Amino acid sequence: MPETALHSAGKFGDVELSFDDFKKIVINDYRVGFESRQASILGRREVLTGKAKFGIFGDGKEVAQLAMAKAFKPGDWRSGYYRDQTFMFATGMSNLKEFFAQLYATPDIEKDPASGGRQMNCHYATRFVNPDGSWVNQAETMNCASDISTTSGHMPRLLGLAYASKLYRQNKELEYLKQFSVNGNEVAFGTIGNGSTSEGLFFETFNAAGVLQVPMAISIWDDAYAISVPASLQTTKEDISEILKGFQCEEGTNGYEIFKVRGWDYVALCETYERAISICREKHVPVLIHVTEMTQPQGHSTSGSHERYKSKERLAWENDYDCLVKMRDWMISSAIASPEELDEMESEAKKFVRECQREAWNERADEIKIELDEAALAIEQLAHNVAAETELTAIATALRSVIDPGRNDIVSSIRKTLRLTVKENTPEKQALISWLYTENEKNTERYNSKLFSGTPYSPLNVPVIVAEYEDDARLIDGREVLNACFDANFERDKSIVAFGEDVGAIGDVNQGFAGLQNKYGDLRIVDTGIREATIIGQGMGLSMRGLRPIAEIQYLDYLIYAMNVISDDLASLSYRTKGGQKAPVIIRTRGHRLEGIWHSGSPMGMILGGMRGLHICVPRNMTQAAGMYNTLLRGDEPALVIECLNGYRLKEKLPANVGEFTVPLGKAEIMREGADITVVSYGSTLRIVMEAAEELEKMDIHIEVIDPQTLYPFDTDNICGSSLRKTNKLLVIDEDIPGSGSAYILQRILEKQNGYYSLDSQPKTLSAKDHRPPYGSDGDYFSKPSHDDVIEAVYNMMSEANPGKYPAIY
Ligand SMILES: Cc1ncc(C[n+]2csc(CCOP(=O)(O)OP(=O)(O)O)c2C)c(N)n1
Ligand SMILES: [Mg+2]
């Protein structure tokens, strides 16, 4: 096993301790570690006996986490993965009862504050949004960003959490934000498994933090495996800190301090963490702590057993080098505790863990039992007066005899009962239906709520302020409207920052930020490397710590490089914490149509399918975009704004209140009235539709053009559905592939807005071709909806309805 220490370890703690105090600390540490191990063992048993569905635990990783917890202070952050229960217990950010409540999927934030029963076990979070939507004082609390299951997916946000401390330390204008930082003295702690360092997100984050020099401390828990795949197939030289040596700071360079330490060596671990974290905290130098020789006493998870793929020798080694066994041996040989003392403490700890487990189980089971009894009784009462008495009695009996029942058993039994009594109508049945409605409401809150934070600070509650124009308002390039909007907002709110590729010195590739870095400084408007995933992570982390980032993705086509972070982490944050965390980052990008295969994308279907949990804004011009930024920067929910790539040089009038007027989200606008066909379009195609409308007018066809402006939320006042009541015909035009963004719009209008009932002909869509558009004007013409395509699509619908008046063109 590798064991070279790149840094020799320092002394144990700053404060001089008596041997008795020292003993107490160590014994307490061991107790926390031992309880954590018991929780893993018991947790696994609960899954194998069917009380919980899946289990993944931190056994074999306890001792390093005890050491890490010693270096963790109020104000600090953790962004980690599913092995960290010991750290969470040791810091007090979680406890055994919450551990079991989550294992049992208890849908209650009092019992599982991390996720309200939504996440698998060992997925941690602290709650930093109060129920009224305000922030808790993060400078005083220990903070844990919500875990996700996708390995390494939590790395990009770690960068942002660390970067916030850099901004809080270096930008004196932020001193008023006292509840988020004390002079940037916080460290963002990351943990990751050895196997997961093979992911691109790990390397992207690692490099970016080295460039930015932020207080980020990454611990790699190295157990030499990633499920069944050994280090030889994961990591060059089978040693991650060895290959990252080039990142080591040298005289006069930026970079990392890199440490390597064995996962069973309590003393070395405490010394290493103390030393590493003080460098990180004081100097804002990122550190890597590679913890080797870790084990997995129970294997990877409850899904399989490691005996299948680990050799006998490896398994024997894991037994011998179990970190708790080694710590125990060391405590005895150093006269810290006798075997008898430890035996006694261990047996008490076992009892305590068992009690916590029972309480967590009983609290959940008792609640369900009450509901189940009510439901079964209501079914039995209904059974007496209906034809299907025997079947209903059987349903009630079956429900009462379910072992470890869930709410699905209850609700499903009621729904089946209602199907069997579809032709009956008795007071008992009405009672059952109303019971179901009441429970459904509670279950919706338990299982379906908080996709968005939905607080009083939501952008949906931002007051509408209309754009005002002076009589002699200047006609300027669209990009200048945006530039004026950003300028006003940067002036107004010191917590706003913007960053991305080419955003700083040149003010973005289309000059929306031109001149603003000079005016507001390079802590507020700044260039980044080419690293889309961590640009989003950077935004996420900053926004979780009270700053207002605009994270720029240079072109919409490159959003794919950040989709994993946006979809897995950002979009699910509010939902998976049941509103306990929020990250109001604004993602700015530009797209739809310019040139060639990778600069003309309009993958709205991908976005709508993968980013539920963000507002999706598709402004038709830069003035509307500015109004949306004004709204979003005053709200507290994440959003994507897609500017029209071909619109920056088109002339627009400058509103007098360019930094103040707001465009409300979800409000569609009728761009042109007409009685023949409702045409719904957005973004770059909208202009083509408006031009086509002129020519169609000459052909005696009057289209009503509607711009939904935002795709999520979509037309909350049913403007599209109402328009259909007049025109009875619907055409949706966009430049995504067929059946993608346009299919979503159809679903909203036909199903949600009941538009189907107003139609007198088949609803149609006009989209781009199935492939991406080739380079050049011809490529565009033959791939994306053109002026001609729009006219013909509209005309053909009219022709189909009235061929006499509108004969086929060709
Ligand atoms: C992106 C992604 N790919 C694959 C998985 C499936 N998976 C879950 S854990 C795991 C192994 C992780 O190994 P390692 O990083 O070494 O952590 P360990 O479990 O050994 O502590 C894999 C492949 C996942 N959750 N996410
Ligand atoms: Mg591993």
Side-chain angles (χ1 to χ4, degrees), residues 61 81-83 149-151 193-196 199 223 225-227 296 300:
K61 316 281 189 296
Y81 81 120
Y82 49 77
R83 298 287 182 212
S149 301
T150 34
T151 57
N194 57 297
S196 304
E199 292 273 13
D223 55 16
Y225 280 85
I227 311 185
Q296 293 178 342
H300 174 76

Side-chain angles (χ1 to χ4, degrees), residues 354 371 387 452 576 614 618 630 656 670 775 806:
R354 188 94 183 121
E371 289 166 33
F452 287 85
R576 74 179 191 267
L614 270 76
V618 283
N630 287 335
I670 299 175
Y775 167 67
Y806 303 104

Side-chain angles (χ1 to χ4, degrees), residues 368-626:
I368 290 181
K369 174 92 173 60
I370 294 170
E371 289 166 33
L372 186 145
D373 285 344
E374 280 176 15
L377 186 65
I379 295 170
E380 282 157 359
Q381 281 167 347
L382 171 60
H384 296 318
N385 304 321
V386 294
E389 180 174 1
T390 324
E391 288 97 325
L392 264 54
T393 310
I395 291 174
T397 310
L399 181 58
R400 286 190 193 281
S401 56
V402 177
I403 299 165
D404 303 335
R407 292 195 165 90
N408 60 338
D409 297 305
I410 301 171
V411 171
S412 184
S413 301
I414 293 177
R415 292 168 78 177
K416 180 143 198 225
T417 300
L418 293 175
R419 290 199 292 275
L420 286 169
T421 54
V422 67
K423 296 198 173 134
E424 316 268 359
N425 192 4
T426 67
E428 289 81 5
K429 186 171 165 188
Q430 286 314 316
L432 193 63
I433 291 173
S434 78
W435 194 86
L436 180 63
Y437 277 132
T438 314
E439 288 308 304
N440 274 352
E441 230 171 79
K442 290 191 212 157
N443 286 329
T444 300
E445 190 279 327
R446 283 183 189 119
Y447 301 108
N448 311 113
S449 61
K450 291 284 181 188
L451 178 60
F452 287 85
S453 54
T455 71
Y457 309 100
S458 158
L460 301 177
N461 297 329
V462 169
V464 181
I465 299 175
V466 295
E468 289 162 11
Y469 293 94
E470 308 280 0
D471 290 344
D472 57 350
R474 282 193 299 143
L475 209 53
I476 55 178
D477 283 354
R479 68 152 190 99
E480 293 177 289
V481 175
L482 273 181
N483 188 264
C485 163
F486 290 139
D487 192 0
N489 279 291
F490 272 81
E491 185 72 49
R492 174 183 65 83
D493 184 346
K494 306 292 175 216
S495 69
I496 298 176
V497 290
F499 46 85
E501 297 151 22
D502 303 291
V503 163
I506 65 167
D508 88 51
V509 286
N510 295 88
Q511 296 192 295
F513 289 111
L516 299 186
Q517 188 185 61
N518 275 345
K519 190 165 174 187
Y520 297 104
D522 61 7
L523 290 173
R524 296 193 61 194
I525 294 149
V526 60
D527 286 320
T528 67
I530 306 172
R531 49 176 183 79
E532 288 76 15
T534 50
I535 288 173
I536 300 303
Q538 200 170 328
M540 230 189 125
L542 292 184
S543 62
M544 292 166 95
R545 294 191 59 189
L547 296 167
R548 295 310 320 262
I550 300 172
E552 177 164 319
I553 300 295
Q554 196 160 71
Y555 293 120
L556 180 53
D557 304 71
Y558 314 150
L559 194 72
I560 292 178
Y561 278 63
M563 268 306 276
N564 41 10
V565 185
I566 301 173
S567 186
D568 278 355
D569 201 5
L570 179 60
S572 73
L573 182 70
S574 174
Y575 178 78
R576 74 179 191 267
T577 57
K578 209 175 175 196
Q581 301 196 351
K582 60 182 175 181
V585 58
I586 298 169
I587 303 170
R588 177 187 186 216
T589 189
R590 50 191 71 86
H592 299 315
R593 192 176 287 218
L594 191 71
E595 270 309 332
I597 295 177
W598 290 278
H599 299 85
S600 294
S602 189
M604 301 313 303
M606 173 189 88
I607 289 166
L608 289 160
M611 292 171 53
R612 215 50 73 87
L614 270 76
H615 298 294
I616 310 297
C617 304
V618 283
R620 61 180 177 269
N621 60 29
M622 302 309 154
T623 307
Q624 294 311 103

